[in-house]
Amino acid sequence: MRLAILGGGGFRVPLVHRALLAESLRSDAVVSEVVLFDTDEHRLGGIRAVLDRQRDTHRASHGEPLLSVRTAGSLAEALDGAGMVFSAIRVGAMPGRVTDERIALSAGVIGQETVGAGGISYGLRTLPVVHRVARAVAEHAPGAWVVNFTNPAGLVTEAMSAVLGDRVIGICDSPVGLSRRAARALGLDPAEVRADYAGLNHLGWLRALRSGGRDRLPDLLADTEALASFEEGRLFGAEWLRALGALPNEYLHYFYMAREAAAAAADSARERMTRGEELVEQQRGFYREAAARPGEAFELWDRARLARERGYMADNRRAAGGVERAAEDLDGGGYEEVALAVMRALARDEPARLIVDVRNRGALAGLDDDAVVEVPCLVDGGGAQPLAAAPLAGHQLALVLAVKSVERDVLEAVRTGSRTAALRAFATHPLVDSVTTARTLLDGYLEAFPDLGDVLPNP
């Protein structure tokens, strides 16, 4: 099968390629060809150099890989004949993320790229592009499945589903990472544990951890030492986790400790740099050096990857008292494993229970059928079927509904070109909650991104 990767020059593509090389050793390997497409040829060249080194290493150990990689000069060429599409684009590239962050921070609110004001701006810029991508898939690869990595993943998946229906599935590695860390804290094999997780992308809760016929999460919540052994336990603290009776996705730190997170991000931006600026510096160095020394591309990439992982949510970890990431969380193995697990289940028609982003279809009470949610699904050759989930607790549902309403306003704004809908999205987000600040944000983003004025031409 041919796999098209849109955003093929993206920094995490080598993780997917590494997993595909390992997969190619199996007699029932799904993918035989990867086609990379990216509008930035400089970035694409750097990543191709990394993939070449990965291929060389594989060849030395296992012989010539049964996996070919090529680039495409257009979106249509990339999609032609594809059975699977990984969409991992970044509209505005990393400098766009920096602008999202800086404008939000200057207005006194959190600027993270998927949460709050930064996520709204990113979504407004991204949805017109992913609409075009979805239409191109429908035209050039109507039988393909689309696995969406593009952030904000839930919002983007919902936008694409308006064109592709249930043939688009959003993924995120946060739920599986949380479930693995919680299982290990209890001394359990993560592969033998069944997680009950529900919410939206970057806004969900692990509500049960079943092993040996019973829920082991109450045992974990009662054990202060075990909670302190993994990142979310240290990030939120045992007292608050017991009050919730659940383990929140790490991104909920922006909501539960909003003032502390905003202050830490503002301090970093003032004293050092924002997270986006840090990544720009890291990746600019990698792409520049990889072009000059392609034979060292893999080592250069891996060094930058490790620096990226170490800096992940660093402001939040500082706000929580200096939480350090565990060594196993720096190795990768989340993002690409979820993607390949989804692909294998779809292509081989081998049922797998996976936490992914899909249209609700009655699985989670309180949300309509078309709302994209992040829940356990049965994934097989027919797609991803969300499994019935227990209702969210009152405060969980209230937060989910508030954020889903914001997402719907972003969708409306792009669909109708309405600045009013965009203003409403900013103003009603729980991390903005000010009409005055919302106007400042919208005006700032319209000025910073001229193309956004074309997206939102109407009052």
mmCIF file of all heavy atoms in Angstrom, residues 215-261:
data_model
loop_
_atom_site.group_PDB
_atom_site.id
_atom_site.type_symbol
_atom_site.label_atom_id
_atom_site.label_comp_id
_atom_site.label_asym_id
_atom_site.label_seq_id
_atom_site.Cartn_x
_atom_site.Cartn_y
_atom_site.Cartn_z
ATOM 1 N N ASP A 215 -11.086 -2.210 38.533
ATOM 2 C CA ASP A 215 -10.516 -0.893 38.279
ATOM 3 C C ASP A 215 -9.403 -0.636 39.286
ATOM 4 O O ASP A 215 -9.647 -0.596 40.502
ATOM 5 C CB ASP A 215 -11.618 0.169 38.398
ATOM 6 C CG ASP A 215 -11.105 1.578 38.159
ATOM 7 O OD1 ASP A 215 -9.958 1.734 37.686
ATOM 8 O OD2 ASP A 215 -11.861 2.535 38.456
ATOM 9 N N ARG A 216 -8.199 -0.415 38.790
ATOM 10 C CA ARG A 216 -7.060 -0.185 39.662
ATOM 11 C C ARG A 216 -6.774 1.303 39.907
ATOM 12 O O ARG A 216 -5.856 1.646 40.659
ATOM 13 C CB ARG A 216 -5.810 -0.826 39.048
ATOM 14 C CG ARG A 216 -5.897 -2.347 38.897
ATOM 15 C CD ARG A 216 -5.941 -3.040 40.267
ATOM 16 N NE ARG A 216 -4.775 -2.670 41.051
ATOM 17 C CZ ARG A 216 -3.579 -3.275 40.958
ATOM 18 N NH1 ARG A 216 -3.412 -4.271 40.098
ATOM 19 N NH2 ARG A 216 -2.564 -2.903 41.712
ATOM 20 N N LEU A 217 -7.538 2.205 39.255
ATOM 21 C CA LEU A 217 -7.277 3.627 39.437
ATOM 22 C C LEU A 217 -7.464 4.071 40.893
ATOM 23 O O LEU A 217 -6.651 4.871 41.392
ATOM 24 C CB LEU A 217 -8.164 4.460 38.499
ATOM 25 C CG LEU A 217 -7.901 5.966 38.509
ATOM 26 C CD1 LEU A 217 -6.461 6.282 38.121
ATOM 27 C CD2 LEU A 217 -8.872 6.689 37.576
ATOM 28 N N PRO A 218 -8.484 3.596 41.617
ATOM 29 C CA PRO A 218 -8.586 3.994 43.030
ATOM 30 C C PRO A 218 -7.342 3.630 43.840
ATOM 31 O O PRO A 218 -6.944 4.391 44.741
ATOM 32 C CB PRO A 218 -9.824 3.229 43.525
ATOM 33 C CG PRO A 218 -10.658 3.062 42.296
ATOM 34 C CD PRO A 218 -9.669 2.820 41.193
ATOM 35 N N ASP A 219 -6.718 2.489 43.523
ATOM 36 C CA ASP A 219 -5.477 2.114 44.216
ATOM 37 C C ASP A 219 -4.392 3.150 43.947
ATOM 38 O O ASP A 219 -3.630 3.525 44.850
ATOM 39 C CB ASP A 219 -4.985 0.744 43.742
ATOM 40 C CG ASP A 219 -5.972 -0.378 44.001
ATOM 41 O OD1 ASP A 219 -6.856 -0.190 44.868
ATOM 42 O OD2 ASP A 219 -5.867 -1.423 43.349
ATOM 43 N N LEU A 220 -4.291 3.587 42.704
ATOM 44 C CA LEU A 220 -3.271 4.572 42.348
ATOM 45 C C LEU A 220 -3.538 5.907 43.039
ATOM 46 O O LEU A 220 -2.626 6.534 43.588
ATOM 47 C CB LEU A 220 -3.243 4.754 40.830
ATOM 48 C CG LEU A 220 -2.238 5.763 40.274
ATOM 49 C CD1 LEU A 220 -0.812 5.442 40.722
ATOM 50 C CD2 LEU A 220 -2.310 5.796 38.739
ATOM 51 N N LEU A 221 -4.786 6.346 43.033
ATOM 52 C CA LEU A 221 -5.118 7.632 43.646
ATOM 53 C C LEU A 221 -4.873 7.622 45.151
ATOM 54 O O LEU A 221 -4.582 8.670 45.737
ATOM 55 C CB LEU A 221 -6.577 7.986 43.359
ATOM 56 C CG LEU A 221 -6.922 8.294 41.896
ATOM 57 C CD1 LEU A 221 -8.423 8.454 41.716
ATOM 58 C CD2 LEU A 221 -6.186 9.544 41.429
ATOM 59 N N ALA A 222 -4.953 6.462 45.768
ATOM 60 C CA ALA A 222 -4.727 6.364 47.215
ATOM 61 C C ALA A 222 -3.257 6.294 47.587
ATOM 62 O O ALA A 222 -2.905 6.442 48.770
ATOM 63 C CB ALA A 222 -5.460 5.129 47.759
ATOM 64 N N ASP A 223 -2.401 6.092 46.598
ATOM 65 C CA ASP A 223 -0.976 5.861 46.860
ATOM 66 C C ASP A 223 -0.168 7.110 46.480
ATOM 67 O O ASP A 223 0.163 7.327 45.322
ATOM 68 C CB ASP A 223 -0.507 4.649 46.037
ATOM 69 C CG ASP A 223 0.900 4.196 46.393
ATOM 70 O OD1 ASP A 223 1.694 5.022 46.869
ATOM 71 O OD2 ASP A 223 1.201 3.010 46.153
ATOM 72 N N THR A 224 0.150 7.920 47.470
ATOM 73 C CA THR A 224 0.860 9.180 47.222
ATOM 74 C C THR A 224 2.214 8.940 46.572
ATOM 75 O O THR A 224 2.622 9.672 45.662
ATOM 76 C CB THR A 224 1.036 9.951 48.532
ATOM 77 O OG1 THR A 224 -0.257 10.227 49.087
ATOM 78 C CG2 THR A 224 1.775 11.265 48.317
ATOM 79 N N GLU A 225 2.919 7.927 47.023
ATOM 80 C CA GLU A 225 4.235 7.645 46.460
ATOM 81 C C GLU A 225 4.135 7.232 45.002
ATOM 82 O O GLU A 225 4.947 7.668 44.164
ATOM 83 C CB GLU A 225 4.914 6.537 47.269
ATOM 84 C CG GLU A 225 6.341 6.251 46.820
ATOM 85 C CD GLU A 225 7.033 5.208 47.695
ATOM 86 O OE1 GLU A 225 6.495 4.890 48.780
ATOM 87 O OE2 GLU A 225 8.103 4.720 47.293
ATOM 88 N N ALA A 226 3.144 6.415 44.673
ATOM 89 C CA ALA A 226 2.961 5.993 43.285
ATOM 90 C C ALA A 226 2.583 7.180 42.408
ATOM 91 O O ALA A 226 3.070 7.311 41.281
ATOM 92 C CB ALA A 226 1.893 4.904 43.198
ATOM 93 N N LEU A 227 1.732 8.066 42.902
ATOM 94 C CA LEU A 227 1.358 9.246 42.126
ATOM 95 C C LEU A 227 2.567 10.136 41.859
ATOM 96 O O LEU A 227 2.695 10.745 40.788
ATOM 97 C CB LEU A 227 0.277 10.046 42.856
ATOM 98 C CG LEU A 227 -1.124 9.444 42.878
ATOM 99 C CD1 LEU A 227 -2.039 10.268 43.769
ATOM 100 C CD2 LEU A 227 -1.705 9.339 41.471
ATOM 101 N N ALA A 228 3.455 10.219 42.823
ATOM 102 C CA ALA A 228 4.641 11.069 42.666
ATOM 103 C C ALA A 228 5.684 10.459 41.734
ATOM 104 O O ALA A 228 6.676 11.110 41.414
ATOM 105 C CB ALA A 228 5.268 11.337 44.027
ATOM 106 N N SER A 229 5.438 9.236 41.256
ATOM 107 C CA SER A 229 6.439 8.554 40.433
ATOM 108 C C SER A 229 6.298 8.855 38.945
ATOM 109 O O SER A 229 7.147 8.443 38.152
ATOM 110 C CB SER A 229 6.342 7.035 40.648
ATOM 111 O OG SER A 229 5.147 6.510 40.065
ATOM 112 N N PHE A 230 5.230 9.567 38.541
ATOM 113 C CA PHE A 230 5.066 9.864 37.115
ATOM 114 C C PHE A 230 4.602 11.305 36.928
ATOM 115 O O PHE A 230 4.171 11.978 37.867
ATOM 116 C CB PHE A 230 4.108 8.872 36.449
ATOM 117 C CG PHE A 230 2.673 8.945 36.886
ATOM 118 C CD1 PHE A 230 1.718 9.581 36.115
ATOM 119 C CD2 PHE A 230 2.274 8.357 38.084
ATOM 120 C CE1 PHE A 230 0.391 9.636 36.509
ATOM 121 C CE2 PHE A 230 0.947 8.399 38.490
ATOM 122 C CZ PHE A 230 0.005 9.049 37.697
ATOM 123 N N GLU A 231 4.723 11.756 35.677
ATOM 124 C CA GLU A 231 4.655 13.187 35.391
ATOM 125 C C GLU A 231 3.333 13.834 35.790
ATOM 126 O O GLU A 231 3.314 14.882 36.432
ATOM 127 C CB GLU A 231 4.930 13.437 33.908
ATOM 128 C CG GLU A 231 5.054 14.905 33.568
ATOM 129 C CD GLU A 231 5.736 15.140 32.232
ATOM 130 O OE1 GLU A 231 6.581 14.317 31.833
ATOM 131 O OE2 GLU A 231 5.424 16.160 31.606
ATOM 132 N N GLU A 232 2.203 13.255 35.395
ATOM 133 C CA GLU A 232 0.928 13.881 35.728
ATOM 134 C C GLU A 232 0.689 13.923 37.226
ATOM 135 O O GLU A 232 0.080 14.875 37.738
ATOM 136 C CB GLU A 232 -0.224 13.154 35.025
ATOM 137 C CG GLU A 232 -0.320 13.429 33.539
ATOM 138 C CD GLU A 232 0.621 12.566 32.715
ATOM 139 O OE1 GLU A 232 1.352 11.729 33.311
ATOM 140 O OE2 GLU A 232 0.632 12.700 31.485
ATOM 141 N N GLY A 233 1.157 12.885 37.940
ATOM 142 C CA GLY A 233 1.003 12.898 39.393
ATOM 143 C C GLY A 233 1.741 14.061 40.023
ATOM 144 O O GLY A 233 1.244 14.703 40.958
ATOM 145 N N ARG A 234 2.944 14.361 39.529
ATOM 146 C CA ARG A 234 3.716 15.486 40.055
ATOM 147 C C ARG A 234 3.188 16.820 39.539
ATOM 148 O O ARG A 234 3.235 17.833 40.234
ATOM 149 C CB ARG A 234 5.193 15.323 39.698
ATOM 150 C CG ARG A 234 5.832 14.068 40.280
ATOM 151 C CD ARG A 234 7.334 14.054 40.117
ATOM 152 N NE ARG A 234 7.764 14.018 38.721
ATOM 153 C CZ ARG A 234 7.920 12.903 38.015
ATOM 154 N NH1 ARG A 234 7.639 11.729 38.576
ATOM 155 N NH2 ARG A 234 8.330 12.939 36.762
ATOM 156 N N LEU A 235 2.675 16.814 38.318
ATOM 157 C CA LEU A 235 2.203 18.054 37.701
ATOM 158 C C LEU A 235 0.960 18.593 38.412
ATOM 159 O O LEU A 235 0.852 19.806 38.665
ATOM 160 C CB LEU A 235 1.885 17.787 36.230
ATOM 161 C CG LEU A 235 1.720 18.974 35.285
ATOM 162 C CD1 LEU A 235 2.997 19.794 35.207
ATOM 163 C CD2 LEU A 235 1.333 18.471 33.886
ATOM 164 N N PHE A 236 0.038 17.711 38.766
ATOM 165 C CA PHE A 236 -1.218 18.144 39.380
ATOM 166 C C PHE A 236 -1.234 17.992 40.899
ATOM 167 O O PHE A 236 -1.993 18.692 41.579
ATOM 168 C CB PHE A 236 -2.397 17.363 38.790
ATOM 169 C CG PHE A 236 -2.650 17.652 37.341
ATOM 170 C CD1 PHE A 236 -2.181 16.802 36.350
ATOM 171 C CD2 PHE A 236 -3.350 18.780 36.954
ATOM 172 C CE1 PHE A 236 -2.412 17.062 35.010
ATOM 173 C CE2 PHE A 236 -3.590 19.062 35.616
ATOM 174 C CZ PHE A 236 -3.110 18.195 34.635
ATOM 175 N N GLY A 237 -0.450 17.069 41.433
ATOM 176 C CA GLY A 237 -0.421 16.837 42.872
ATOM 177 C C GLY A 237 -1.481 15.854 43.318
ATOM 178 O O GLY A 237 -2.601 15.820 42.795
ATOM 179 N N ALA A 238 -1.133 15.037 44.313
ATOM 180 C CA ALA A 238 -2.021 13.963 44.773
ATOM 181 C C ALA A 238 -3.350 14.506 45.292
ATOM 182 O O ALA A 238 -4.415 13.924 45.036
ATOM 183 C CB ALA A 238 -1.322 13.144 45.863
ATOM 184 N N GLU A 239 -3.307 15.614 46.008
ATOM 185 C CA GLU A 239 -4.541 16.144 46.612
ATOM 186 C C GLU A 239 -5.572 16.494 45.548
ATOM 187 O O GLU A 239 -6.759 16.146 45.673
ATOM 188 C CB GLU A 239 -4.214 17.371 47.452
ATOM 189 C CG GLU A 239 -5.434 17.973 48.151
ATOM 190 C CD GLU A 239 -5.096 19.208 48.961
ATOM 191 O OE1 GLU A 239 -3.969 19.731 48.830
ATOM 192 O OE2 GLU A 239 -5.974 19.664 49.720
ATOM 193 N N TRP A 240 -5.129 17.171 44.480
ATOM 194 C CA TRP A 240 -6.073 17.569 43.441
ATOM 195 C C TRP A 240 -6.554 16.361 42.639
ATOM 196 O O TRP A 240 -7.736 16.286 42.273
ATOM 197 C CB TRP A 240 -5.447 18.605 42.513
ATOM 198 C CG TRP A 240 -6.372 19.066 41.420
ATOM 199 C CD1 TRP A 240 -6.158 18.999 40.088
ATOM 200 C CD2 TRP A 240 -7.681 19.634 41.585
ATOM 201 N NE1 TRP A 240 -7.242 19.491 39.396
ATOM 202 C CE2 TRP A 240 -8.196 19.895 40.292
ATOM 203 C CE3 TRP A 240 -8.469 19.945 42.692
ATOM 204 C CZ2 TRP A 240 -9.450 20.451 40.071
ATOM 205 C CZ3 TRP A 240 -9.730 20.499 42.483
ATOM 206 C CH2 TRP A 240 -10.205 20.754 41.187
ATOM 207 N N LEU A 241 -5.690 15.395 42.383
ATOM 208 C CA LEU A 241 -6.109 14.206 41.651
ATOM 209 C C LEU A 241 -7.157 13.427 42.432
ATOM 210 O O LEU A 241 -8.114 12.910 41.853
ATOM 211 C CB LEU A 241 -4.898 13.330 41.332
ATOM 212 C CG LEU A 241 -3.869 13.955 40.376
ATOM 213 C CD1 LEU A 241 -2.707 13.000 40.157
ATOM 214 C CD2 LEU A 241 -4.506 14.344 39.053
ATOM 215 N N ARG A 242 -6.988 13.364 43.732
ATOM 216 C CA ARG A 242 -8.012 12.679 44.548
ATOM 217 C C ARG A 242 -9.321 13.464 44.542
ATOM 218 O O ARG A 242 -10.410 12.868 44.547
ATOM 219 C CB ARG A 242 -7.500 12.508 45.976
ATOM 220 C CG ARG A 242 -6.393 11.476 46.089
ATOM 221 C CD ARG A 242 -5.823 11.397 47.480
ATOM 222 N NE ARG A 242 -4.646 10.527 47.502
ATOM 223 C CZ ARG A 242 -3.540 10.771 48.169
ATOM 224 N NH1 ARG A 242 -3.437 11.883 48.902
ATOM 225 N NH2 ARG A 242 -2.530 9.924 48.131
ATOM 226 N N ALA A 243 -9.224 14.783 44.513
ATOM 227 C CA ALA A 243 -10.446 15.587 44.455
ATOM 228 C C ALA A 243 -11.194 15.344 43.147
ATOM 229 O O ALA A 243 -12.430 15.314 43.123
ATOM 230 C CB ALA A 243 -10.100 17.068 44.598
ATOM 231 N N LEU A 244 -10.440 15.160 42.061
ATOM 232 C CA LEU A 244 -11.055 14.892 40.767
ATOM 233 C C LEU A 244 -11.555 13.462 40.658
ATOM 234 O O LEU A 244 -12.532 13.183 39.957
ATOM 235 C CB LEU A 244 -10.040 15.138 39.641
ATOM 236 C CG LEU A 244 -9.634 16.576 39.351
ATOM 237 C CD1 LEU A 244 -8.510 16.591 38.321
ATOM 238 C CD2 LEU A 244 -10.818 17.382 38.848
ATOM 239 N N GLY A 245 -10.863 12.540 41.316
ATOM 240 C CA GLY A 245 -11.183 11.124 41.155
ATOM 241 C C GLY A 245 -10.825 10.598 39.786
ATOM 242 O O GLY A 245 -11.375 9.599 39.320
ATOM 243 N N ALA A 246 -9.889 11.277 39.129
ATOM 244 C CA ALA A 246 -9.478 10.910 37.773
ATOM 245 C C ALA A 246 -8.096 11.493 37.516
ATOM 246 O O ALA A 246 -7.621 12.341 38.282
ATOM 247 C CB ALA A 246 -10.477 11.438 36.744
ATOM 248 N N LEU A 247 -7.463 11.038 36.423
ATOM 249 C CA LEU A 247 -6.178 11.588 36.015
ATOM 250 C C LEU A 247 -6.393 12.440 34.775
ATOM 251 O O LEU A 247 -6.804 11.935 33.728
ATOM 252 C CB LEU A 247 -5.181 10.467 35.693
ATOM 253 C CG LEU A 247 -4.809 9.519 36.829
ATOM 254 C CD1 LEU A 247 -3.791 8.492 36.330
ATOM 255 C CD2 LEU A 247 -4.235 10.274 38.019
ATOM 256 N N PRO A 248 -6.120 13.746 34.845
ATOM 257 C CA PRO A 248 -6.340 14.609 33.697
ATOM 258 C C PRO A 248 -5.223 14.485 32.659
ATOM 259 O O PRO A 248 -4.067 14.225 33.001
ATOM 260 C CB PRO A 248 -6.331 16.031 34.290
ATOM 261 C CG PRO A 248 -6.193 15.859 35.770
ATOM 262 C CD PRO A 248 -5.669 14.492 36.025
ATOM 263 N N ASN A 249 -5.582 14.693 31.417
ATOM 264 C CA ASN A 249 -4.597 14.894 30.363
ATOM 265 C C ASN A 249 -3.692 16.049 30.775
ATOM 266 O O ASN A 249 -4.137 17.026 31.370
ATOM 267 C CB ASN A 249 -5.341 15.227 29.068
ATOM 268 C CG ASN A 249 -4.429 15.423 27.879
ATOM 269 O OD1 ASN A 249 -3.635 16.359 27.823
ATOM 270 N ND2 ASN A 249 -4.550 14.545 26.898
ATOM 271 N N GLU A 250 -2.414 15.958 30.453
ATOM 272 C CA GLU A 250 -1.450 16.963 30.894
ATOM 273 C C GLU A 250 -1.830 18.380 30.469
ATOM 274 O O GLU A 250 -1.529 19.356 31.171
ATOM 275 C CB GLU A 250 -0.067 16.614 30.347
ATOM 276 C CG GLU A 250 0.005 16.501 28.838
ATOM 277 C CD GLU A 250 1.153 15.637 28.345
ATOM 278 O OE1 GLU A 250 2.098 15.413 29.107
ATOM 279 O OE2 GLU A 250 1.083 15.184 27.180
ATOM 280 N N TYR A 251 -2.536 18.517 29.334
ATOM 281 C CA TYR A 251 -2.910 19.849 28.862
ATOM 282 C C TYR A 251 -3.948 20.513 29.758
ATOM 283 O O TYR A 251 -4.153 21.728 29.672
ATOM 284 C CB TYR A 251 -3.411 19.782 27.422
ATOM 285 C CG TYR A 251 -2.294 19.648 26.419
ATOM 286 C CD1 TYR A 251 -1.773 18.398 26.099
ATOM 287 C CD2 TYR A 251 -1.734 20.763 25.808
ATOM 288 C CE1 TYR A 251 -0.734 18.265 25.188
ATOM 289 C CE2 TYR A 251 -0.692 20.643 24.906
ATOM 290 C CZ TYR A 251 -0.198 19.390 24.605
ATOM 291 O OH TYR A 251 0.846 19.263 23.708
ATOM 292 N N LEU A 252 -4.599 19.760 30.614
ATOM 293 C CA LEU A 252 -5.539 20.365 31.553
ATOM 294 C C LEU A 252 -4.828 21.188 32.622
ATOM 295 O O LEU A 252 -5.471 21.929 33.362
ATOM 296 C CB LEU A 252 -6.425 19.298 32.188
ATOM 297 C CG LEU A 252 -7.670 18.985 31.346
ATOM 298 C CD1 LEU A 252 -8.217 17.609 31.649
ATOM 299 C CD2 LEU A 252 -8.741 20.039 31.562
ATOM 300 N N HIS A 253 -3.509 21.087 32.688
ATOM 301 C CA HIS A 253 -2.757 21.962 33.583
ATOM 302 C C HIS A 253 -2.995 23.430 33.215
ATOM 303 O O HIS A 253 -3.018 24.310 34.087
ATOM 304 C CB HIS A 253 -1.259 21.642 33.514
ATOM 305 C CG HIS A 253 -0.449 22.290 34.588
ATOM 306 N ND1 HIS A 253 0.153 23.518 34.427
ATOM 307 C CD2 HIS A 253 -0.157 21.898 35.863
ATOM 308 C CE1 HIS A 253 0.803 23.851 35.525
ATOM 309 N NE2 HIS A 253 0.628 22.881 36.415
ATOM 310 N N TYR A 254 -3.191 23.691 31.922
ATOM 311 C CA TYR A 254 -3.477 25.062 31.492
ATOM 312 C C TYR A 254 -4.812 25.564 32.042
ATOM 313 O O TYR A 254 -5.004 26.776 32.191
ATOM 314 C CB TYR A 254 -3.500 25.147 29.967
ATOM 315 C CG TYR A 254 -2.161 24.975 29.313
ATOM 316 C CD1 TYR A 254 -1.820 23.795 28.660
ATOM 317 C CD2 TYR A 254 -1.216 26.000 29.344
ATOM 318 C CE1 TYR A 254 -0.590 23.635 28.049
ATOM 319 C CE2 TYR A 254 0.023 25.846 28.740
ATOM 320 C CZ TYR A 254 0.339 24.665 28.099
ATOM 321 O OH TYR A 254 1.570 24.512 27.506
ATOM 322 N N PHE A 255 -5.733 24.665 32.330
ATOM 323 C CA PHE A 255 -7.034 25.052 32.845
ATOM 324 C C PHE A 255 -7.069 25.026 34.375
ATOM 325 O O PHE A 255 -7.587 25.953 34.995
ATOM 326 C CB PHE A 255 -8.116 24.107 32.299
ATOM 327 C CG PHE A 255 -8.345 24.256 30.826
ATOM 328 C CD1 PHE A 255 -7.577 23.563 29.909
ATOM 329 C CD2 PHE A 255 -9.350 25.087 30.345
ATOM 330 C CE1 PHE A 255 -7.781 23.693 28.541
ATOM 331 C CE2 PHE A 255 -9.569 25.232 28.980
ATOM 332 C CZ PHE A 255 -8.790 24.531 28.073
ATOM 333 N N TYR A 256 -6.541 23.968 34.976
ATOM 334 C CA TYR A 256 -6.606 23.840 36.426
ATOM 335 C C TYR A 256 -5.613 24.741 37.146
ATOM 336 O O TYR A 256 -5.829 25.115 38.297
ATOM 337 C CB TYR A 256 -6.348 22.379 36.830
ATOM 338 C CG TYR A 256 -7.467 21.430 36.488
ATOM 339 C CD1 TYR A 256 -7.192 20.121 36.076
ATOM 340 C CD2 TYR A 256 -8.802 21.810 36.575
ATOM 341 C CE1 TYR A 256 -8.205 19.228 35.773
ATOM 342 C CE2 TYR A 256 -9.821 20.929 36.267
ATOM 343 C CZ TYR A 256 -9.517 19.637 35.869
ATOM 344 O OH TYR A 256 -10.531 18.752 35.567
ATOM 345 N N MET A 257 -4.524 25.089 36.499
ATOM 346 C CA MET A 257 -3.523 25.992 37.061
ATOM 347 C C MET A 257 -3.260 27.123 36.075
ATOM 348 O O MET A 257 -2.123 27.448 35.733
ATOM 349 C CB MET A 257 -2.212 25.245 37.371
ATOM 350 C CG MET A 257 -2.253 24.379 38.616
ATOM 351 S SD MET A 257 -3.153 22.825 38.335
ATOM 352 C CE MET A 257 -2.830 21.970 39.898
ATOM 353 N N ALA A 258 -4.341 27.743 35.603
ATOM 354 C CA ALA A 258 -4.243 28.710 34.511
ATOM 355 C C ALA A 258 -3.375 29.904 34.869
ATOM 356 O O ALA A 258 -2.547 30.343 34.066
ATOM 357 C CB ALA A 258 -5.641 29.177 34.095
ATOM 358 N N ARG A 259 -3.539 30.456 36.042
ATOM 359 C CA ARG A 259 -2.761 31.643 36.410
ATOM 360 C C ARG A 259 -1.283 31.305 36.534
ATOM 361 O O ARG A 259 -0.418 32.067 36.082
ATOM 362 C CB ARG A 259 -3.286 32.232 37.720
ATOM 363 C CG ARG A 259 -4.713 32.761 37.612
ATOM 364 C CD ARG A 259 -5.161 33.443 38.883
ATOM 365 N NE ARG A 259 -6.549 33.880 38.780
ATOM 366 C CZ ARG A 259 -7.177 34.587 39.700
ATOM 367 N NH1 ARG A 259 -6.533 34.956 40.814
ATOM 368 N NH2 ARG A 259 -8.433 34.940 39.540
ATOM 369 N N GLU A 260 -0.999 30.169 37.153
ATOM 370 C CA GLU A 260 0.404 29.769 37.313
ATOM 371 C C GLU A 260 1.047 29.473 35.951
ATOM 372 O O GLU A 260 2.190 29.864 35.693
ATOM 373 C CB GLU A 260 0.494 28.538 38.211
ATOM 374 C CG GLU A 260 0.049 28.753 39.655
ATOM 375 C CD GLU A 260 -1.445 28.586 39.873
ATOM 376 O OE1 GLU A 260 -2.198 28.527 38.863
ATOM 377 O OE2 GLU A 260 -1.866 28.506 41.031
ATOM 378 N N ALA A 261 0.285 28.790 35.079
ATOM 379 C CA ALA A 261 0.824 28.461 33.757
ATOM 380 C C ALA A 261 1.059 29.726 32.936
ATOM 381 O O ALA A 261 2.086 29.859 32.255
ATOM 382 C CB ALA A 261 -0.135 27.528 33.012
#
